[in-house]
Amino acid sequence: MVEVSLSDLEIREERPEDYENISNVVRNAFWNLYIPGAEEHVVLTKLRTHPDFLQDLTLVCVYKGEIIGHIAYTKSYVGDTVLATFGPVCISEEYHGKGIGTHFIKESIARVKAEKFKAIAILGFPTFYERFGFRNSKEYEISGEDGSYPKGQQILELYPGALNGIKGEIKFCSAFHVLPEEVESFESKLPFKKKFPTLSQKMFGIVVSLSADDEYPEIFNEKACFDRTPLNE
């Protein structure tokens, strides 16, 4: 069990010399979490070269000289209004359950607010992000690009009334979309890691299938959302 004091953490902007370590941290953190394997480390590489990438808000969490967490920010749009979006965001698995992720995200939100953004829009597990004040985008009449209101599409207003009069479809950064062949090419240069189905993937599939007003089915288990226990073992 690793004991960590939050006061010992350093949160700073990422640097080019961090990229390889960050890629490893992100790859390991997401491996077999949402899909067999992972694609977030590939997405991150694409984000850095996209014009919507927010370099100054993309941060690492460092403990005793080791990068143990990362959060990337990009611009998203509702009409002409620019919002901030974070993702991928992760903390290395061995540091889970210590409040580090919550501390890291809160610090990043404070920095976004200081940059005068109106709101942050994300896609993620509602049961995790509600603690930060995120609400489903339907409450703000902001839909996906197809007009739907996914369960995991959430928004945090950064000050009261920030989104008054702002409605419509949200457009996230196009670099979030990667092709299987892009992931395969990227992975071919990295050490082999075994892919397998997990309980967390099952929970992710449930959330992705739900709309804003849908109730969670009885099979849904919040605690299993980050459980990478193999389903076939």
Side-chain angles (χ1 to χ4, degrees):
M1 180 69 70
V2 180
E3 296 297 332
V4 178
S5 171
L6 297 181
S7 62
D8 292 333
L9 299 173
E10 177 191 6
I11 297 174
R12 60 166 173 80
E13 294 176 24
E14 69 169 20
R15 303 163 183 158
E17 59 265 31
D18 299 325
Y19 290 175
E20 183 175 355
N21 287 338
I22 291 170
S23 183
N24 290 334
V25 168
V26 173
R27 182 181 185 234
N28 290 334
F30 285 100
W31 196 260
N32 292 329
L33 185 62
Y34 298 142
I35 60 172
E39 58 184 28
E40 285 77 6
H41 53 308
V42 185
V43 169
L44 178 57
T45 300
K46 291 185 68 175
L47 290 179
R48 289 195 182 106
T49 60
H50 196 281
D52 289 335
F53 184 60
L54 293 169
Q55 177 68 59
D56 293 347
L57 292 172
T58 295
L59 310 171
V60 290
C61 182
V62 183
Y63 177 62
K64 293 185 176 180
E66 175 190 359
I67 293 173
I68 64 168
H70 184 269
I71 187 167
Y73 271 91
T74 50
K75 297 176 185 176
S76 50
Y77 302 86
V78 180
D80 295 330
T81 301
V82 181
L83 307 183
T85 289
F86 66 67
V89 55
C90 67
I91 294 293
S92 295
E93 189 173 21
E94 60 267 36
Y95 293 96
H96 285 188
K98 305 177 188 304
I100 297 173
T102 298
H103 175 72
F104 189 33
I105 291 172
K106 283 183 176 179
E107 171 63 22
S108 81
I109 290 172
R111 296 190 186 202
V112 174
K113 189 173 183 178
E115 291 294 323
K116 308 301 182 183
F117 281 90
K118 293 178 180 294
I120 299 173
I122 63 168
L123 293 167
F125 282 118
T127 52
F128 181 80
Y129 290 107
E130 286 171 355
R131 73 186 70 180
F132 302 102
F134 282 91
R135 298 292 180 264
N136 190 272
S137 66
K138 188 174 183 180
E139 294 188 24
Y140 301 97
E141 298 182 60
I142 294 174
S143 71
E145 289 188 68
D146 61 357
S148 68
Y149 295 94
K151 192 79 163 178
Q153 186 169 284
Q154 302 154 80
I155 289 178
L156 172 67
E157 274 193 314
L158 294 177
Y159 56 88
L163 295 177
N164 285 354
I166 299 171
K167 303 175 184 178
E169 299 176 357
I170 188 166
K171 182 179 180 181
F172 291 104
C173 179
S174 62
F176 283 114
H177 302 288
V178 293
L179 300 173
E181 51 266 35
E182 292 180 272
V183 178
E184 184 177 349
S185 175
F186 201 97
E187 277 294 308
S188 68
K189 305 175 182 66
L190 300 174
F192 172 79
K193 289 174 71 70
K194 185 179 179 181
K195 302 177 183 179
F196 49 77
T198 62
L199 192 55
S200 61
Q201 292 169 29
K202 189 173 183 178
M203 297 303 107
F204 177 70
I206 290 172
V207 173
V208 169
S209 72
L210 298 177
S211 295
D213 296 328
D214 291 338
E215 298 291 334
Y216 290 104
E218 289 187 11
I219 193 174
F220 181 76
N221 181 347
E222 179 183 355
K223 293 181 179 179
C225 291
F226 299 96
D227 187 342
R228 291 188 283 185
T229 302
L231 287 179
N232 55 352
E233 294 183 12

